[in-house]
Amino acid sequence: MRMPASPKILHILDHSLPLHSGYSFRSGSIFNAQRNRGWQPVVLTSPKHEESCKGPKQEQEEINGFTYYRTGASRPGGLPFLAERHLMNALARRIREVAAIEKPDLLHVHSPVLNALPALRVGRELGIPVVYEIRAFWEDAAVDHGTYAQNSWKYKLVRWMEGRVCRRADQVTVLCQGLKEDLIRRGIPAGKLTVVYNGIDPADFQRREPDAEYYQTWKVAGKNVIGFIGSFYRYEGLDLLVDAFARLAASRSDVVLLLVGGGETETRLKAQIQRLKLEDKVILPGRLPHDRIPGVYALMDILVYPRYSMRLTELVTPLKPLEAMAMGKALVASDVGGHRELIHHGQTGLLFPAGDMVALAEMLDRLMNDPEARKHMEEQESVWARREHSWDKTTAIYAEVYARALENRSAGPAQNQRPEDLRESEAEPAKPAPSDAAAKPNF
């Protein structure tokens, strides 16, 4: 089976726009890049979208010129795993319905595993290749959110199911090299795995004047603005940043800290800021409109990403540092694996030992005292990010992934799956993954 000149791809998501998250924005950027290549992306969201969406419920809607099909809410379940079974059954039915309408060439299902199992089932029934995309291991996100403990039976179950899905999918894409290497260690063939890195739209993230309204409202004239933009998860290490900033502010009157976003640690951060008597030096504007974010980057001097070291951060690369690089902003980040994959120390950013508050404060102080080094870094960052990580470049590899998936499926299921997988495909999944809606990663 050859790759059509203008393939129609049915993307199956956990959630999407109009909900704002890193997951939604990456998805939208992938669709735009594929449309620019002359392909036809169509979107279907799981019942998880309805759990989070506050607006009117619709079976179908148009967003930015793309068709988004909705599954609708699934039934709750009182018994263990019953809610997950209802969700997967509802999604499988909706995939069949949408496939009958759109007649896609491929199913491109994005994590979590609750999306992948029904997609694999329907793909096999209809003879449609399935590409599975992993943006993070959701069991690791669940650990950070406190949903369950690492190496608990729930953690091991989700991890086992992730490997099972990877073996059964026609092709697997991952967000970064760290995820790929972890799957190879689990026995997934390297030839089946392709990295599709995060990217930026160069037109959206380019040097510009600071947002005039925020510049006045936040009273940052004449200040060195240290900033963070993103979700306030525990693994982001914002408490470490606040402590480092307090140490810095004790000897410098020209600094302010701007934390843009919100999330589970927001209340604790506010209490920490109050305890350290930093209310007049730390700005917490909450979540801001997406189209205003480039102007916010423009008024910041240094972006900080102080992630703690854990499996999630060691394996997964974040998107936000790429945006800062494209904007030509100096950045400082912890030396976790996900950052090391993106940031070349001394060239496209500075790395400090993860968890070391004193090292972070000292690095920020040195960077503010050396404008020439900062300017050199900013120029290198911008050129590298725009050249190597535009969405058009990072997503071009999908052409090869889809072609291989179509070739695999044309060879027949016996060429791509083990006999036991074929027997198991006739039944419902025996062990659905535990619900971890609160552990939804922001990638």
Side-chain angles (χ1 to χ4, degrees):
M1 191 184 303
R2 297 183 60 185
M3 175 84 160
S6 179
K8 180 173 283 190
I9 304 104
L10 177 55
H11 291 272
I12 301 161
L13 304 176
D14 179 86
H15 65 282
S16 75
L17 297 173
L19 295 172
H20 282 199
S21 71
Y23 186 101
S24 295
F25 294 137
R26 174 178 165 90
S27 301
S29 297
I30 289 170
F31 307 154
N32 282 324
Q34 292 192 344
R35 180 168 58 187
N36 291 342
R37 297 179 69 85
W39 300 353
Q40 304 174 70
V42 181
V43 187
L44 168 63
T45 54
S46 86
K48 290 290 187 181
H49 179 84
E50 275 72 19
E51 288 185 13
S52 303
C53 190
K54 307 297 184 190
K57 309 305 181 187
Q58 304 181 61
E59 289 191 357
Q60 179 181 337
E61 58 184 312
E62 297 293 316
I63 302 175
N64 298 332
F66 298 102
T67 301
Y68 283 71
Y69 291 92
R70 307 301 185 190
T71 300
S74 62
R75 289 184 291 158
L79 298 175
F81 304 130
L82 191 57
E84 288 78 12
R85 186 176 293 276
H86 289 329
L87 182 150
M88 290 190 290
N89 286 339
L91 183 56
R93 285 193 296 269
R94 192 59 170 150
I95 295 171
R96 292 188 193 97
E97 293 171 356
V98 174
I101 297 168
E102 296 289 347
K103 296 178 173 52
D105 297 294
L106 298 109
L107 302 181
H108 184 153
V109 56
H110 303 253
S111 51
V113 74
L114 291 177
N115 294 345
L117 289 167
L120 285 168
R121 189 194 324 166
V122 177
R124 186 169 295 109
E125 290 173 5
L126 302 180
I128 304 174
V130 177
V131 173
Y132 180 40
E133 178 159 312
I134 300 174
R135 304 183 181 187
F137 295 134
W138 286 44
E139 64 271 25
D140 292 328
V143 170
D144 180 73
H145 289 279
T147 306
Y148 43 76
Q150 188 166 340
N151 294 323
S152 66
W153 70 268
K154 287 185 177 181
Y155 181 93
K156 292 178 180 177
L157 174 59
V158 178
R159 181 179 169 87
W160 172 81
M161 294 183 73
E162 195 84 72
R164 172 183 165 92
V165 165
C166 288
R167 291 180 176 88
R168 298 173 70 189
D170 293 282
Q171 288 288 298
V172 178
T173 65
V174 291
L175 183 70
C176 56
Q177 194 67 30
L179 294 175
K180 179 178 178 178
E181 292 171 358
D182 189 84
L183 289 172
I184 291 172
R185 287 193 291 271
R186 299 192 205 183
I188 308 302
K192 196 176 191 178
L193 301 169
T194 302
V195 177
V196 182
Y197 291 105
N198 265 326
I200 49 94
D201 185 339
D204 290 340
F205 294 96
Q206 54 186 323
R207 298 185 187 222
R208 65 185 68 198
E209 291 298 314
D211 187 293
E213 179 187 350
Y214 293 149
Y215 188 81
Q216 293 296 327
T217 302
W218 297 335
K219 301 177 181 178
V220 295
K223 301 290 186 180
N224 281 299
V225 182
I226 298 169
F228 171 89
I229 300 176
S231 296
F232 294 3
Y233 293 122
R234 282 181 291 184
Y235 61 75
E236 295 291 1
L238 297 182
D239 55 336
L240 184 83
L241 174 55
V242 170
D243 282 339
F245 176 78
R247 182 183 178 92
L248 193 66
S251 60
R252 302 187 66 124
S253 61
D254 62 340
V255 293
V256 295
L257 178 61
L258 175 56
L259 303 176
V260 178
E264 62 184 36
T265 64
E266 186 171 352
T267 300
R268 289 196 293 274
L269 282 173
K270 288 179 178 178
Q272 180 185 8
I273 291 164
Q274 186 176 24
R275 174 172 50 81
L276 294 172
K277 297 180 171 53
L278 295 172
E279 296 96 323
D280 61 336
K281 294 180 179 293
V282 180
I283 304 165
L284 285 164
R287 291 185 171 92
L288 301 176
H290 188 61
D291 60 354
R292 304 281 295 270
I293 294 300
V296 176
Y297 274 118
L299 60 79
M300 294 177 171
D301 296 292
I302 303 173
L303 274 295
V304 185
Y305 305 96
R307 288 185 160 189
Y308 289 120
S309 177
M310 58 176 292
R311 264 186 57 85
L312 180 73
T313 60
E314 292 292 341
L315 296 178
V316 179
T317 57
L319 172 61
K320 293 301 181 184
L322 282 174
E323 296 178 353
M325 289 181 191
M327 292 288 298
K329 293 296 173 180
L331 60 90
V332 175
S334 59
D335 63 352
V336 295
H339 287 154
R340 292 197 305 272
E341 194 169 330
L342 275 183
I343 300 165
H344 304 286
H345 180 67
Q347 300 175 40
T348 58
L350 295 178
L351 298 171
F352 71 93
D356 191 333
M357 181 270 291
V358 174
L360 171 56
E362 292 176 347
M363 190 171 286
L364 289 170
D365 191 43
R366 288 199 303 271
L367 195 56
M368 284 187 288
N369 290 332
D370 193 345
E372 287 301 316
R374 198 164 81 192
K375 181 179 179 181
H376 180 67
M377 184 191 305
E378 290 168 348
E379 290 172 351
Q380 290 192 100
E381 288 173 347
S382 181
V383 170
W384 180 81
R386 302 168 81 80
R387 183 186 67 229
E388 301 295 332
H389 277 272
S390 71
W391 281 115
D392 284 343
K393 178 167 184 174
T394 61
T395 62
I397 194 69
Y398 282 130
E400 297 179 22
V401 173
Y402 292 167
R404 288 196 296 268
L406 288 161
E407 289 168 5
N408 287 352
R409 186 51 57 98
S410 65
Q415 299 296 318
N416 193 47
Q417 293 159 342
R418 300 175 301 176
E420 60 267 30
D421 286 335
L422 294 175
R423 290 196 299 269
E424 290 167 355
S425 71
E426 302 302 320
E428 293 286 332
K431 296 180 179 179
S435 177
D436 57 356
K440 191 178 292 181
N442 196 30
F443 305 100

